[in-house]
Structures are given as structure tokens and as C-alpha cells.
Amino acid sequence: MISHTTISFANMTGPVEQVEFCGHPIVFIAPSGYGPPEALTVNYQSYVNTIMINLALDEGHFPDYDELLDDFVESLEHIKDAASRLGMHHRKA
């Protein structure tokens, strides 16, 4: 199954409070994977009040990866706007 996938998504909920490693504060967490045969890998990681999105892609499938990144930014803005409107609607109820 893994050798025939085109895209994979991973979503991992992180800690809601900042953590330390050997006395050093962790600023952000950005997991990724290397070697899978997917043309596009998307990892989402939440940490404190931040979401880190990590993309890995095959430039052969995405020669204009800048456009792909712009599309991701635009899509995330739409999601954020929709979530904000939904949250406002639920607060009034």
C-alpha cells in the first residue's frame, strides 16, 4: 500500500504548554518524513498556540512549487476565515 500512495497527510496534536528539553525551551516542532514515494507529503503539528505545516514534494510532479505554496496559503486563509465565522456563530447561540 505504501508504495502506491500519491499523497499522505499527518496531523499530530502537540502540547498546549511550552516544553523544555534538557533545560532548553522548545521553540517549535516540525516533524517530517524522508523517503516515502509520495509526490506530496503534508504534516501538521500543533504546539502551544501555533500550527506548523511542513510540506515535502517531488519537484518532478510540482515544477512550480511556488504556486503550490501560494495555493496552500490562500486555502489556509479561507479555512481560518470560515472557522472564525463558525466560532462567532456558535458563541451567539
Side-chain angles (χ1 to χ4, degrees):
M1 180 177 92
I2 279 287
S3 64
H4 297 293
T5 56
T6 304
I7 185 171
S8 66
F9 285 90
N11 179 19
M12 185 174 178
T13 304
V16 294
E17 297 177 356
Q18 189 171 23
V19 295
E20 293 183 353
F21 181 71
C22 296
H24 300 282
I26 305 283
V27 178
F28 69 91
I29 300 171
S32 186
Y34 177 77
E38 293 90 7
L40 176 64
T41 302
V42 182
N43 290 294
Y44 292 86
Q45 171 71 50
S46 64
Y47 179 60
V48 188
N49 292 322
T50 304
I51 295 177
M52 183 69 64
I53 301 170
N54 186 326
L55 301 176
L57 59 95
D58 180 350
E59 292 181 27
H61 286 88
F62 298 98
D64 189 3
Y65 53 87
D66 288 328
E67 181 180 350
L68 177 68
L69 295 176
D70 291 341
D71 292 343
F72 260 90
V73 169
E74 183 179 345
S75 296
L76 291 169
E77 287 173 356
H78 288 301
I79 292 168
K80 179 182 171 186
D81 291 343
S84 294
R85 286 192 306 276
L86 183 64
M88 289 173 33
H89 173 73
H90 284 295
R91 284 187 211 133
K92 293 179 182 177

